[in-house]
């Protein structure tokens, strides 16, 4: 029953057909992964992409969480013997977490409040009398009630206690909360003020934009809100969220609760004002602070995930013999030589820069290593001394050796990790870091999956957002990228394999153990012999694993083994082999795929098969391009407004893109400076590690900020 309700709610929310959502939920319940569903079950999902399937999965989890919360709420209210058929119906029909908590609030176990104390003193009947607003003399009504309950309170104390009960009842009333919530939603202002004692400190300088700042909460962008929240957590800023007019909120509540103009009504009006200031406003303010933070988190996580996707899908050099260089001045440049599989062959340090300045010796050593290890490409990290090291290497190498500056994102994290220690137990962190730089050039995806995505450094405020949601989103992104590219079953590390659909750390290790004991895989079918890799895991992973040079050429394609029979039938009908079908475009052009449709295999799957036969095992990533910074600039002091410079996009946020122009400090191209047209998001114009041309607009030496534009 719940599943059908979930399917209906999700279909309405996402604007998808009920059948498609129902089928997708069934596949997810059966343990199918998002990449598998997206790639191999298009007939059942109507061709939904990974983003849509992930949204269905997330919505389903949210509804499951609400369902569990309902069980707790129903149990609590039932145990209090306060459950009614109408309340049960409303709870059953409610799938909004905020409304659900409003329904529960009057029954929620609470600490001993002023109203609770008044109830214990027997003042609830007096509160009910006051709310009716019929008595002309509330003091007389209070005296009468005190005599009934034989209470020693004064009349003033009794009336105050009754007002406390009224105030709490107003706070717990669903309509009251919705009314104030609606007013906050339309008019709430977020304000930020600097803590005076911190205003002149160095730590506060980066928050100077928010020393006296206010704007409508609904227009506050995620990066501004997260920046202010960080300033608040560091004790530099004070934040508040207020409606544009408190008195209007109070008046609206009075319109609903105050029915007359007598003495009782005036007491009720006082209780309304107290309820708003002491209970309702702080509660709704806290709620909106949490909701705005949640929304900002979601936007920041989304940007982080997209940056990570672009980084992971960066152009690979491929299997070449590579030299990796971690540049440095005083400590020298750490040089490693790797074979085409990324194995470490040799390492040493050279000192071509000040203060040691052994340039001639470094030149001889570098050229000797290039010759001895038949180096085909050189990767230089983009950190300290990168520009100088590139200039030195350019003077040393001959044509035919590619030279690339590689992002050091994650290299230092990897070098100090357990993964690196296990792989190179006898080498220090500097060698491991240079190896990571070299491997990053060969295949960014294979290298970066070894690192916690949060440590790669392609997001903002990643330590300020919900860490559980961040990990979930980033893990999904890594899984998506790995399965999009596909994995060589015979060369992949366990870190890469564990992200393949249907596997995970245990099966990845078992595959490596099997490969070590039995030699390279010669067919996908051999996966069935791997311990604990059952039929379900095989179904999920097989299509994403590649075996170059396999006897069956389909084992090196994205064609799933469950579809091999279809391709074999196509080849048989064309009176050729599967290999002929792959290599001969004319043979493929003669195939009418409509002849191969069945109850379970439709045109989407058949079209995918034909695309794969056209370019078997194709890598969806772009080709690698070389890049050079402008030789005129090396430090921020070299920059002059008006300069047009080449740069590399290093980070993308909601408000713009950061660009490395070779001065050890990235410049910002604000979203308003990215194009001569209005754009919704920077990713409409740029992507991570894209080569761009920018113009220097302003250089703020004090705050080390560089403003750039792409409009010229």
């Amino acid at each position: 029953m719940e599943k059908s309700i979930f399917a209906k709610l999700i279909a309405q929310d996402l604007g998808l057909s009920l059948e498609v959502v129902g089928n997708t939920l069934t596949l997810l319940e059966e343990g199918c992964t998002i990449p598998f569903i997206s790639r191999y079950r298009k007939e059942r999902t109507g061709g939904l992409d990974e983003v849509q399937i992930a949204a269905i999965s997330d919505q389903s989890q949210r509804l499951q969480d609400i369902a569990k919360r309902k069980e707790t709420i129903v149990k609590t209210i039932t145990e209090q013997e306060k459950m009614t058929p109408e309340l049960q119906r409303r709870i059953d029909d409610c799938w909004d977490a905020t409304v659900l908590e409003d329904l529960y609030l009057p029954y929620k176990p609470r600490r001993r409040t002023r109203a609770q104390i008044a109830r214990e003193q027997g003042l609830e009947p007096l509160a009910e009398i006051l709310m009716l607003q019929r008595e002309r003399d509330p003091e007389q009504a209070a005296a009468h009630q005190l005599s009934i309950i034989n209470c020693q309170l004064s009349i003033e104390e009794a009336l105050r206690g009754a007002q406390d009960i009224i105030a709490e009842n107003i706070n717990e009333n669903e309509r009251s909360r919705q009314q104030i919530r609606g007013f906050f939603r339309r008019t709430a202002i977020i304000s930020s003020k600097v803590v005076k004692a911190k205003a002149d400190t160095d730590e506060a300088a980066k928050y100077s934009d928010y020393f006296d700042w206010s704007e409508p909460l609904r227009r506050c962008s995620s990066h501004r809100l997260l920046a202010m929240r960080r300033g608040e957590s560091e004790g530099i800023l004070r934040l508040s969220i207020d409606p544009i007019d408190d008195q209007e909120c109070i008046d609206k509540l009075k319109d609903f609760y105050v029915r007359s103009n007598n003495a009782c009504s005036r007491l009720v009006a006082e209780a309304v004002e107290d309820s708003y200031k002491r209970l309702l406003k702080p509660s709704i303010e806290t709620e909106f602070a949490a909701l705005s933070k949640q929304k900002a988190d979601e936007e920041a996580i989304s940007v982080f995930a997209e940056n990570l996707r672009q980084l992971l899908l960066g152009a690979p050099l491929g299997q070449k013999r590579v030299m990796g260089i971690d540049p440095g001045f005083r400590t020298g440049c750490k040089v490693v030589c790797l074979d085409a599989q990324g194995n470490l062959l040799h390492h040493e340090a050279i000192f071509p820069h000040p203060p040691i300045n052994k340039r001639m010796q470094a030149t001889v050593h570098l050229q000797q290593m290039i010759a001895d290890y038949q180096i085909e490409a050189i990767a230089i990290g983009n950190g300290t001394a990168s520009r100088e090291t590139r200039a030195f290497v350019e003077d040393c190498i001959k044509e035919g050796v590619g030279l690339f500056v590689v992002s050091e994102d994650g290299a230092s994290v990897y070098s100090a990790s357990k993964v690196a220690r296990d792989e190179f137990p006898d080498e220090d962190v500097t060698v491991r870091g240079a190896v990571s730089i070299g491997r990053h050039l060969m295949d960014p995806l294979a290298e970066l999956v070894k690192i916690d995505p949060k440590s790669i450094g392609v997001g903002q405020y990643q330590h300020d957002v919900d860490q559980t949601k961040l990990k979930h989103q980033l893990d999904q992104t890594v899984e998506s990228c790995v399965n999009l590219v596909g994995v060589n079953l015979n060369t992949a590390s366990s870190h890469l394999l564990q992200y393949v659909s249907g596997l995970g750390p245990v099966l990845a290790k078992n595959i490596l153990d099997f490969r070590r004991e039995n030699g390279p895989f010669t067919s996908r079918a051999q996966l069935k012999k791997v311990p604990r890799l059952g039929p379900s895991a095989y179904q999920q992973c097989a299509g994403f694993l590649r075996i170059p040079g396999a006897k069956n050429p389909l084992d090196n394609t994205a064609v799933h083994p469950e579809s091999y029979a279809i391709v074999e039938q196509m080849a048989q009908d064309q009176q050729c082999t599967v290999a002929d079908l792959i290599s001969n475009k004319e043979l493929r052009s003669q195939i009418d795929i409509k002849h191969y449709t069945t109850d379970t295999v439709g045109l989407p799957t058949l079209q995918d098969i034909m695309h794969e036969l056209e370019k078997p095992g194709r890598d969806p990533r772009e080709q690698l391009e070389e890049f050079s910074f402008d030789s005129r600039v090396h430090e921020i002091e070299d920059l002059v407004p008006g300069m047009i410079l080449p740069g590399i996009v290093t980070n993308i946020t909601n408000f713009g893109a950061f660009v490395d122009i070779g001065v050890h400090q990235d410049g910002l191209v604000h979203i308003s400076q990215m194009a001569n047209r209005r754009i919704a998001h920077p990713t409409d114009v740029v992507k991570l590690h894209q080569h761009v041309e920018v113009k220097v607009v302003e250089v703020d030496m004090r705050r080390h900020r560089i403003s750039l534009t792409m409009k010229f």
Side-chain angles (χ1 to χ4, degrees), residues 39-220:
R39 182 66 176 78
Y40 296 114
R41 291 295 180 263
K42 290 181 178 177
E43 284 80 3
R44 294 184 64 182
T45 67
L48 295 183
D49 60 28
E50 289 191 15
V51 174
Q52 292 169 307
I53 297 168
I56 292 173
S57 176
D58 291 344
Q59 288 276 48
S60 175
Q61 184 58 57
R62 182 183 65 83
L63 293 172
Q64 288 175 43
D65 292 342
I66 291 175
K68 288 178 184 176
R69 180 64 175 156
K70 282 187 184 185
E71 291 175 7
T72 301
I73 289 172
V74 168
K75 181 182 177 184
T76 303
I77 298 175
T78 302
E79 287 174 351
Q80 295 175 13
E81 299 182 351
K82 294 181 180 179
M83 182 61 76
T84 65
E86 173 62 16
L87 182 57
Q88 181 72 63
R89 182 192 64 77
R90 293 199 66 193
I91 292 172
D92 289 343
D93 292 345
C94 179
W95 292 100
D96 182 302
T98 301
V99 175
L100 184 64
E101 294 302 325
D102 282 352
L103 291 173
Y104 180 42
L105 188 58
Y107 311 96
K108 191 174 185 178
R110 59 174 74 86
R111 59 183 174 80
R112 201 157 175 262
T113 62
R114 283 162 45 176
Q116 187 62 29
I117 293 170
R119 289 189 183 95
E120 292 169 0
Q121 293 169 331
L123 298 176
E124 191 147 25
L126 177 58
E128 292 172 354
I129 290 169
L130 294 181
M131 277 302 292
L132 291 173
Q133 301 169 50
R134 294 172 183 169
E135 300 289 332
R136 291 186 177 181
D137 188 348
E139 293 185 355
Q140 185 177 348
H144 178 67
Q145 187 60 34
L146 288 172
S147 67
I148 293 175
I149 61 176
N150 193 24
C151 180
Q152 299 304 310
L153 292 173
S154 68
I155 289 175
E156 291 77 11
E157 289 171 332
L159 289 173
R160 281 201 300 272
Q163 284 181 303
D164 287 340
I165 294 172
I166 293 170
E168 187 168 276
N169 288 343
I170 290 171
N171 175 59
E172 293 177 350
N173 181 274
E174 184 185 353
R175 179 167 174 176
S176 299
R177 298 184 72 81
Q178 291 287 28
Q179 188 176 59
I180 301 305
R181 191 176 285 129
F183 199 76
F184 264 74
R185 192 176 295 116
R186 294 189 303 274
T187 73
I189 302 292
I190 183 168
S191 301
S192 169
K193 303 284 185 184
V194 67
V195 175
K196 288 185 179 179
K198 298 286 186 73
D200 296 324
T201 63
D202 291 339
E203 309 92 74
K206 59 186 174 182
Y207 298 108
S208 59
D209 290 344
Y210 304 108
F211 281 5
D212 187 13
W213 176 272
S214 65
E215 67 176 314
L217 181 62
R218 58 193 170 90
R219 292 183 189 163
C220 184

Side-chain angles (χ1 to χ4, degrees), residues 336-383:
V336 298
C337 298
L338 310 175
D339 68 14
Q341 284 70 48
N343 298 310
L344 177 61
L345 302 175
H346 173 77
H347 70 83
E348 65 178 86
I350 58 175
F351 299 86
H353 309 308
I356 298 178
N357 257 332
K358 293 184 178 179
R359 192 176 182 89
M360 286 300 298
Q361 185 186 79
T363 301
V364 171
H365 281 232
L366 190 76
Q367 291 174 339
Q368 190 65 51
M369 284 186 278
I370 292 171
D372 289 349
Y373 298 100
Q374 300 170 22
I375 297 300
E376 299 172 85
I378 298 174
I380 300 173
N382 67 344

Side-chain angles (χ1 to χ4, degrees), residues 10-22:
I10 295 170
Q12 290 173 346
D13 193 44
L14 299 180
L16 300 170
S17 82
L18 183 59
E19 181 184 7
V20 159
V21 172

